[in-house]
Amino acid sequence: MVKIRFLSYPVAVGDPGWPNNPTLSFEPFTQIGVNGEAANTYMLHLFNHFGSHMDGPNHFNPTGAKVYQLPAEKFVYTSPVLVDVSVGDDELVTWHHVQPYEAELQNADCILFRTGYARIR
């Protein structure tokens, strides 16, 4: 049986984002009955650094691949491992945190770290 886990938070207008960056907004596009429109539609503006997201190699490497250039297979995993670590806001995850999971990591094709940082979301 395939298990699907959502790794993102729901996003809403007014949620915090990276300082001085856009966040999320909606713009009405069509309205029922106006100019013969049959539906209400909206333009969604969503900045790539808003909410849970992934940066491609191009984010810091001008010659690196962009996320949309990576094959979808790169994002499907059959043996992920979730590593729970408790770290402070300015603390790095080190081997000390990962070592208790060493046996599980031998066959992992993806490692996810849950650091507790979500508590400030």
Side-chain angles (χ1 to χ4, degrees), residues 31-40:
Q31 183 180 354
I32 295 172
V34 176
N35 297 322
E37 295 294 340
N40 292 316

Side-chain angles (χ1 to χ4, degrees), residues 71-91:
E73 301 83 50
K74 291 278 189 190
F75 308 106
V76 177
Y77 306 100
T78 58
S79 301
V81 172
L82 175 62
V83 174
D84 279 304
V85 295
S86 279
V87 294
D89 292 346
D90 60 352
E91 186 180 357

Side-chain angles (χ1 to χ4, degrees), residues 92-110:
L92 296 174
V93 175
T94 66
W95 176 246
H96 167 76
H97 298 102
V98 178
Q99 193 170 13
Y101 299 87
E102 187 173 11
E104 294 174 73
L105 296 176
Q106 296 301 312
N107 297 315
D109 57 358
C110 176

Side-chain angles (χ1 to χ4, degrees), residues 22-87:
T23 56
L24 171 69
S25 65
F26 293 91
E27 176 183 344
F29 190 72
T30 64
Q31 183 180 354
I32 295 172
V34 176
N35 297 322
E37 295 294 340
N40 292 316
T41 62
Y42 302 85
M43 181 73 68
L44 169 67
H45 301 275
L46 180 62
F47 190 64
N48 70 318
H49 269 174
F50 179 70
S52 298
H53 70 280
M54 179 176 50
D55 293 321
N58 180 259
H59 186 58
F60 288 110
N61 177 352
T63 61
K66 297 173 177 76
V67 171
Y68 71 85
Q69 295 171 319
L70 300 172
E73 301 83 50
K74 291 278 189 190
F75 308 106
V76 177
Y77 306 100
T78 58
S79 301
V81 172
L82 175 62
V83 174
D84 279 304
V85 295
S86 279
V87 294

